[in-house]
Amino acid sequence: MEILAFGVQADEQPLIERAFAGHHPVRCLDVFLNEDTAPIAAGHEAISTSVNCDLGPRVLEALAAGGTRMTAQRSTGFNNIDLAVAERLGMTIARVSSYSPYSVAEFAWTLAMAVNRRVVRASTRTRDFDFRLDGLMGRDLHGRTAGVLGTGKIGEAFTRIAHGFGMRLLGWDVVENPACLELGMRYVTKEQLLAESDLVSLHVPLLPQTQHLIDADALKAMKDDAILVNSSRGGLVDTAALVTELRAGRFTGVGLDVYEAEAGLFFLDKSLEAIADDTLARLVTFPNVLVTSHQAYYTREAVGQIVETTVRNVLDYTAGRRSENVLVPRS
C-alpha cells in the first residue's frame, strides 16, 4: 500500500521516507491537499496531510470517492478536518497527539525576546552598517509578569523558561497544572491575566470556544506596553482587531508564528505575487510586529517524533489497532 503524503517540506521528506522504509512505500508531494489536488489521491487507501491541508466536506467526499479510507495528519491540531463528515464517510482520521513541547515553547520565547530587544530591526540596520542604538531599547523581563493562556505540556515548558527569567507567573486554563503551581504560578481569570501581564503567550488548542479568544475586548484589556505571542493557532487572535490596536500605538511587541488565514500562504513562496490579504499585508508593516511562517514546531526532534507517530498511526490502521491518536476510528 503506497502512502501519499501532502504538503511535505524539503527538510521533512527524507525523515518521512526513512521512517516508512520497510513498512510501506511513500510518495511525498509539496502541494497541499485541497479541492484541486484531491484527485491525485485516487487509488491511495491511506494518505498523510499537514495542518494547512483542506479536509473539509468536499475534499473528504472526493477522497472517499477515490478510495481513500485513512488520513494520518502530521500535526496535533485538526481544526482543518471535518470529523463529522469523515465519520459519515467511514474514513479513519488520526493525528499526532503530542511531540516535543520544547520546540514550540522555546520558539515562543524566541519571538518574545526578538520583539522585546528589537532584534530584527537591529539586524537590518547592521547589514547597512548602521550601528546606532536609537529605537532599540528593550526592557528586563526579570521581575515582570508572564501570563500563560493554556498550561498543558507546551504551556508548562514555556512557564519553566519564564520561571528561569525570574518572572511572576499567572496562568489560565480549565485545569490547573500541578507542575506550574510548584513553580509559583497563580491561576486567575482571563481578564485578570490580561490586565496584569507584561507578556502574554497563547498555548491553547483552536476550538469553537477558543476562536478569537483574544478579541477586541481582550486586546483592550491588556497593558499598552505588553508583549503578545501566539505560537499555537492563528484563529485564537482576532487579527483585524489586533491591527486596530497596533494602529493606535499599543503594545511593545507582537510575535506571531501563526495567522488565522494562513492556509494558502504559509509554507509557500509568495514573494513574487501580490498579497490580496490586506490584514496580513498591514500587519507585517508594523515595526513592533514579527510574523513567522508556522515554524515553532520545526526542530529535528519534534519533526522526527511527528513522523514516527504518523508511521505508527498508519501501521495501527492496517493492523486494526486503535490508539489515543485516533480521532475517527476505523468503521
Side-chain angles (χ1 to χ4, degrees), residues 104-105 107-113 115 147 149 158 199-203 214 222 226-232 236-237 253-258:
V104 179
F107 194 82
W109 270 102
T110 300
L111 291 175
M113 294 304 296
V115 296
L149 291 164
F158 183 91
L199 166 61
V200 175
S201 190
L202 309 182
H203 301 288
I214 303 300
M222 292 174 62
I227 294 171
L228 173 64
V229 173
N230 185 11
S231 57
S232 186
L236 298 175
V237 177
V254 174
L256 303 175
D257 185 51
V258 287

Side-chain angles (χ1 to χ4, degrees), residues 7-9 30-32 34 52 262-273 275 293:
V8 176
Q9 304 299 309
D30 59 1
V31 298
F32 292 94
N34 54 41
N52 276 347
E262 68 182 54
L265 292 171
F266 282 21
F267 303 149
L268 300 171
D269 181 3
K270 297 290 185 177
S271 60
L272 299 179
E273 301 178 25
I275 298 299
S293 53

Side-chain angles (χ1 to χ4, degrees), residues 76-208:
T76 300
F78 53 91
N79 52 284
N80 60 319
I81 308 174
D82 192 319
L83 299 181
V85 172
E87 184 174 15
R88 174 173 60 81
L89 294 170
M91 187 178 294
T92 300
I93 304 291
R95 61 156 177 167
V96 178
S97 57
S98 65
Y99 56 86
S100 168
Y102 311 108
S103 60
V104 179
E106 290 172 5
F107 194 82
W109 270 102
T110 300
L111 291 175
M113 294 304 296
V115 296
N116 178 41
R117 301 305 301 269
R118 312 291 194 265
V119 172
V120 175
R121 183 185 297 180
S123 177
T124 301
R125 283 185 184 180
T126 55
R127 285 177 179 271
D128 293 331
F129 300 100
D130 178 353
F131 299 105
R132 293 172 299 158
L133 297 182
D134 297 347
L136 300 183
M137 184 176 287
R139 57 183 180 175
D140 291 357
L141 292 179
H142 177 84
R144 295 187 181 272
T145 300
V148 186
L149 291 164
T151 56
K153 292 181 180 179
I154 296 173
E156 178 187 329
F158 183 91
T159 300
R160 291 188 182 279
I161 298 172
H163 180 263
F165 271 90
M167 300 186 75
R168 173 180 175 240
L169 306 172
L170 296 180
W172 176 86
D173 208 328
V174 293
V175 177
E176 296 183 359
N177 185 332
C180 292
L181 291 171
E182 289 181 7
L183 294 170
M185 173 172 280
R186 184 161 62 94
Y187 282 85
V188 295
T189 64
K190 184 182 76 170
E191 291 72 22
Q192 183 177 349
L193 183 150
L194 295 174
E196 297 182 14
S197 296
D198 300 291
L199 166 61
V200 175
S201 190
L202 309 182
H203 301 288
V204 299
L206 181 59
L207 304 168

Side-chain angles (χ1 to χ4, degrees), residues 302-316:
V303 174
Q305 292 167 10
I306 289 169
V307 169
E308 289 171 3
T309 301
T310 300
V311 173
R312 287 200 303 272
N313 287 342
V314 171
L315 296 179
D316 284 345

